[in-house]
């Protein structure tokens, strides 16, 4: 087995690792979807897959147990639905004008989703129009009827999904975050123990857990927790700092272990690591008790000479205690300090963003090409390519590659399982027991992926969408396999068209996009340091730029070649992001007015 295969298998193992929380979330999503499917089948509702897909969307990690997310989804669906009804009523039978109207609406939705605070609403009102408009709109009355049905499906799925997250085995994401951070810090201390014991390699189980999703999962949990409690959102900077510092600590320990294999540790260095591990264990004890750690981490003894990697460990560990103050909110529900701030839901004064406009135009062009394709080919069954083209178009090539790969993998997996079920069971799919078994297996598999980290959750939603298109709608259950095949082929066509548009029209690398966001965050920090007025809005905007930079940095890995120059450039970008993050945390967690010093 070659190196890249081992890395791929190891990564999949980490992403698909089971756990009590994941199993509960999978069962919750599966049960709710199964009940919904059975009721919808009994009522002979059309296009049931939209109900299931919407429940999955609401149940994604950043929307779980969040009424606010369900309200946003319902609001965006209603806006898009009203626009869809008006378009089909006025432009039925005028396909060219309808495509132009859709292109303009999609461009507007994508642009606003990149420039406004509540981006989810604007994404939905852009996409819902495409979902709500039927494949054939020659008959205005029939078109309006179908649009209303699809809008109702989307709205009902949003409400059902949100209710399930709140009622059926509700999770406390903040407690999950603390448990996750505690476990990661405990793993780091155990790795230090192995280093002191001069063990060259960590046990496989410890190494896999230490290198697991880590920061990606913790940021997911942080978003979910803040959606439920404004007091936690008010201490966002402290929680973000703790997540980032523990992740840096793990990376520094891994680097130290690599050095120790090449140059063994000296006696003084072993003593220094033991002292540091002792201080970290004291902090672990407080974390488990939900207590802020008010004791400083021990410092290096005077006159002790150690290698730079150990000095860096001490430097990182020294900043951990001051980022645990938010624990008092969970333990004692004490009032928070001034919030980090949220941008207003609509910002009419936002400056023009040419990158967002270009993205909207690219999405509209890809959507238009797909619409023309199924009309020219007289192949209405592949209309799934239209929505796919918009979803796959992303701000950078790396993000588009990741989205296309996850959507392709999910579509192929869900479609194949649906075809297999129909081929094996055939007419038996019309009976309730057979339907429950097949739907349960298909939905449970997709749900298990969907409730994973943000790196793979999108593939789970695509799996259930393809499975629902093939195996849950009346048309395919009745034996029309061609309809299911057409829908899956439409998804693959949409990916191909979006990829071509992304490559040839204003191509942007994730590394360049991340660098631009870092520069924007740096500019915002300069403005905040020079003038603290309107602090809440400024810090919210800076955080948004930093979050986008981190996301683009992750996507840049998809673009990276094996050339040393590319690796060096990506590492330099990571250091720039880390530097700006630390300055942001210094200005928000420990404001300069408290010390009279402006961080640089």
């Amino acid at each position: 087995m070659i190196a890249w295969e081992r890395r791929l298998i190891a990564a999949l193992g980490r992403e698909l690792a089971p756990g009590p929380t994941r199993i509960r979330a999978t069962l919750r999503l599966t049960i709710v979807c199964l009940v919904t499917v059975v009721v919808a089948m009994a009522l002979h509702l059309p296009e049931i897959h939209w109900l299931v897909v919407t429940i999955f969307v609401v149940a994604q990690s950043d929307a779980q147990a969040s009424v606010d997310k369900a309200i946003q989804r319902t609001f965006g669906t209603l806006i898009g639905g009203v626009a869809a009804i008006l378009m089909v009523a006025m432009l039925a039978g005028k396909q060219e004008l309808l495509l132009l109207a859709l292109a303009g609406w999609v461009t507007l939705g994508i642009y606003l989703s990149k420039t406004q605070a509540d981006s989810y609403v604007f994404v939905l009102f852009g996409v819902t129009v495409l979902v709500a408009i039927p494949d054939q709109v020659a008959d205005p009355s029939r078109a309006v009827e179908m649009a209303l049905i699809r809008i109702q499906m989307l709205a009902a799925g949003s409400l059902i999904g949100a209710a399930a997250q709140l009622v059926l085995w509700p999770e406390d994401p903040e407690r999950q975050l603390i448990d996750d951070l505690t476990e990661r810090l405990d793993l780091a201390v155990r790795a230090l123990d192995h280093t002191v014991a001069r063990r060259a390699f960590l046990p496989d189980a410890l190494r896999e857990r230490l290198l697991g999703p880590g920061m990606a999962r913790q940021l997911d949990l942080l978003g979910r927790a803040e959606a439920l409690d404004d007091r936690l959102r008010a201490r966002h900077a402290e929680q973000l700092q703790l997540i980032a510092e523990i992740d840096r600590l793990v990376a520094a320990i891994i680097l130290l272990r690599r050095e120790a294999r090449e140059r063994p540790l000296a006696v003084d260095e072993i003593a220094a690591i033991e002292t540091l591990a002792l201080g970290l264990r004291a902090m672990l004890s407080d974390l488990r008790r939900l207590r802020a750690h008010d004791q400083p981490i021990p410092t290096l003894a005077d006159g002790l000479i150690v290698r730079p990697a150990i000095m860096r460990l001490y430097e990182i560990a020294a900043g951990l205690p001051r980022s645990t103050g938010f624990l008092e909110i969970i333990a004692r529900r004490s009032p928070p300090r001034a919030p980090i701030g949220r941008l207003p839901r609509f910002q009419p004064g936002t400056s023009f963003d040419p990158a967002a406009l270009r993205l909207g135009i690219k999405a509209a062009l890809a959507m238009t090409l797909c619409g023309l394709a199924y009309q020219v080919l007289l192949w209405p069954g592949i209309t799934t390519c239209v929505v796919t083209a918009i979803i796959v178009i992303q701000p950078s090539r790396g993000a588009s590659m990741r989205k296309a790969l996850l959507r392709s993998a999910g579509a192929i997996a869900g479609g194949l399982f649906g075809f297999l079920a129909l081929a094996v069971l055939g007419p038996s799919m019309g009976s309730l027991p057979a339907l429950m078994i097949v739907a349960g297996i298909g939905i449970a598999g997709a749900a298990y992926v969907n409730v994973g980290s943000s790196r793979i959750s999108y593939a789970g939603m695509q799996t259930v969408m393809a499975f629902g298109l093939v195996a849950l709608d009346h048309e395919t259950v009745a034996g029309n396999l061609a309809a299911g095949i057409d829908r899956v082929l439409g998804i693959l066509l949409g990916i191909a068209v979006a990829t071509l548009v992304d490559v040839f029209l204003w191509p942007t690398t994730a590394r360049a996009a991340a660098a631009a966001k870092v520069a924007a965050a740096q500019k915002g920090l300069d403005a905040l340091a020079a003038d603290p007025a309107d602090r809440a809005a400024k810090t919210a905007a800076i955080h948004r730029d930093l979050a986008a930079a981190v996301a683009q940095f992750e996507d840049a890995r998809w673009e990276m070649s094996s050339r040393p120059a590319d690796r060096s450039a990506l590492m330099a970008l990571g250091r720039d992001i880390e530097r700006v993050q630390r300055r942001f945390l210094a200005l928000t967690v420990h404001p300069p007015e408290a010390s009279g010093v402006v961080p640089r």
Side-chain angles (χ1 to χ4, degrees):
M1 186 179 294
I2 58 180
W4 73 267
E5 289 179 330
R6 288 197 298 269
R7 290 196 298 270
L8 177 61
I9 292 173
L12 288 176
R14 291 193 296 268
E15 293 292 348
L16 298 176
T21 301
R22 188 170 193 171
I23 291 173
R24 283 196 301 270
T26 300
L27 288 174
R28 174 174 57 238
L29 193 51
T30 303
I31 291 171
V32 171
C33 288
L34 276 179
V35 172
T36 302
V37 166
V38 170
V39 173
M41 284 283 191
L43 296 175
H44 297 283
L45 297 179
E47 303 190 326
I48 297 173
H49 63 274
W50 286 121
L51 268 175
V52 178
V53 169
T54 305
I55 292 172
F56 264 64
V57 171
V58 173
Q60 284 185 343
S61 59
D62 62 351
Q64 188 173 355
S66 173
V67 175
D68 184 55
K69 178 69 76 172
I71 292 173
Q72 289 183 47
R73 182 165 180 82
T74 304
F75 185 59
T77 298
L78 291 176
I79 294 176
V82 170
I85 291 173
L86 292 176
M87 286 184 191
V88 297
M90 294 186 296
L91 301 175
K94 304 173 183 178
Q95 295 295 334
E96 295 80 7
L97 292 178
L98 180 60
L99 275 176
L100 287 176
L102 288 174
W105 186 264
V106 166
T107 301
L108 177 64
I110 296 295
Y111 179 82
L112 292 176
S113 73
K114 299 301 178 184
T115 57
Q116 301 299 316
D118 283 342
S119 60
Y120 194 59
V121 172
F122 299 105
V123 169
L124 282 172
F125 93 40
V127 173
T128 300
V129 170
L130 302 176
V131 173
I133 292 180
D135 306 339
Q136 301 293 329
V137 290
D139 180 2
S141 61
R142 175 61 177 164
V144 170
E145 179 186 349
M146 288 301 298
L148 286 171
I149 290 174
R150 293 183 179 184
I151 293 167
Q152 291 169 9
M153 289 290 185
L154 294 173
S158 297
L159 297 177
I160 293 170
Q165 301 297 337
L166 291 172
V167 175
L168 193 59
W169 301 318
E171 303 282 356
D172 181 356
E174 182 65 23
R175 187 62 209 228
Q176 290 180 52
L177 174 60
I178 300 305
D179 291 343
D180 207 68
L181 288 171
T182 302
E183 180 187 19
R184 194 157 170 78
L185 187 56
D186 180 58
L187 293 171
V189 173
R190 289 165 59 186
L192 287 177
D193 292 339
H194 282 273
T195 305
V196 168
R198 300 179 187 271
R199 299 189 182 108
F201 298 99
L202 297 174
D204 288 343
L206 175 59
R207 180 171 55 84
E208 291 298 326
R209 290 168 65 195
L210 191 64
L211 297 176
M215 192 172 180
R217 166 179 158 79
Q218 290 154 13
L219 291 175
D220 287 344
L221 290 171
L222 178 59
R224 290 161 51 191
E226 291 180 346
L228 293 172
D229 193 336
D230 282 343
R231 291 171 294 186
L232 293 173
R233 187 183 292 114
R235 305 295 279 269
H236 173 93
E238 291 179 16
Q239 298 174 89
L240 184 62
Q241 183 181 34
L242 185 60
I243 292 171
E245 294 298 287
I246 291 179
D247 194 71
R248 291 178 64 221
L249 183 70
V250 170
I253 291 172
I254 293 171
L255 179 62
L256 173 63
R257 288 188 54 78
R258 288 175 183 169
E259 288 188 9
R261 285 199 294 269
E262 299 173 359
R263 180 164 62 94
L265 296 170
V267 174
D268 285 349
E269 290 177 329
I270 291 176
I273 295 173
E274 289 176 335
T275 302
L276 177 62
L278 189 64
L280 292 175
R281 283 194 180 90
M283 181 176 170
L284 264 174
S285 177
D286 281 342
L287 276 178
R288 292 189 176 107
R289 298 175 185 176
L290 297 179
R291 289 169 46 185
H293 188 65
D294 53 7
Q295 298 297 321
I297 300 293
T299 58
L300 279 170
D302 293 336
L304 201 62
I305 300 176
V306 298
R307 66 186 72 193
I310 296 178
M311 295 175 64
R312 180 168 175 77
L313 278 178
Y314 270 86
E315 174 193 344
I316 296 170
L320 290 174
R322 62 186 179 184
S323 56
T324 60
F326 71 93
L327 292 172
E328 65 191 27
I329 297 176
I330 307 169
R332 297 192 294 271
R333 299 297 176 186
S334 62
R337 66 173 65 174
I340 189 173
R342 284 186 289 175
L343 294 172
R345 294 188 180 274
F346 184 69
Q347 306 165 74
T350 301
S351 59
F352 173 69
D353 187 344
L357 180 60
R358 288 195 294 269
L359 182 64
I361 293 173
K362 288 168 67 172
L365 176 60
M367 179 272 300
T368 303
L369 291 175
C370 288
L372 290 174
Y374 80 74
Q375 289 183 34
V376 170
L377 296 173
L378 300 178
W379 196 354
I382 61 171
T383 51
T384 47
C385 64
V386 175
V387 175
T388 297
I390 292 179
I391 293 175
V392 170
I393 289 286
Q394 296 293 309
S396 67
R397 189 168 69 241
S400 296
M401 290 169 62
R402 175 177 56 83
K403 206 81 167 181
L405 178 62
L406 292 175
R407 190 167 174 86
S408 299
I412 292 172
L416 285 177
F417 182 75
F419 293 139
L420 179 64
L422 291 176
V424 172
L425 295 178
S428 300
M429 280 288 289
S431 66
L432 182 60
L435 177 66
M436 289 286 287
I437 293 173
V438 172
I441 295 174
I443 291 173
Y448 186 81
V449 177
N450 191 73
V451 298
S453 76
S454 57
R455 301 182 192 210
I456 64 167
S457 60
Y458 186 72
M461 187 182 70
Q462 291 309 310
T463 300
V464 82
M465 182 173 188
F467 173 73
L469 284 167
V470 172
L472 296 184
D473 282 351
H474 290 287
E475 188 177 18
T476 51
V477 170
N480 188 2
L481 288 177
I485 294 173
D486 287 350
R487 290 162 176 174
V488 175
L489 289 176
I491 292 174
L492 298 179
L493 175 62
I495 292 171
V497 172
T499 302
L500 288 174
V501 171
D502 198 43
V503 168
F504 291 105
L505 184 63
W506 298 312
T508 304
T509 64
R511 196 170 71 196
K517 290 298 181 181
V518 170
Q522 183 65 57
K523 184 177 179 180
L525 286 169
D526 291 339
L528 180 62
D531 181 13
D534 199 16
R535 182 183 186 85
K538 287 179 180 177
T539 51
I542 295 167
H543 174 257
R544 207 171 155 191
D545 286 333
L546 279 175
V550 172
Q552 292 290 354
F553 178 76
E554 290 294 325
D555 290 330
R557 300 177 187 274
W558 290 78
E559 305 168 348
M560 187 176 63
S561 68
S562 57
R563 294 185 303 174
D566 285 348
R567 293 182 178 275
S568 298
L570 191 62
M571 291 176 65
L573 176 61
R575 290 192 293 270
D576 288 343
I577 293 175
E578 180 181 318
R579 173 178 54 79
V580 176
Q581 280 180 328
R582 291 178 67 81
R583 187 183 176 203
F584 172 67
L585 294 170
L587 280 170
T588 53
V589 179
H590 308 285
E593 58 265 24
S595 60
V597 178
V598 177
R600 291 292 178 189

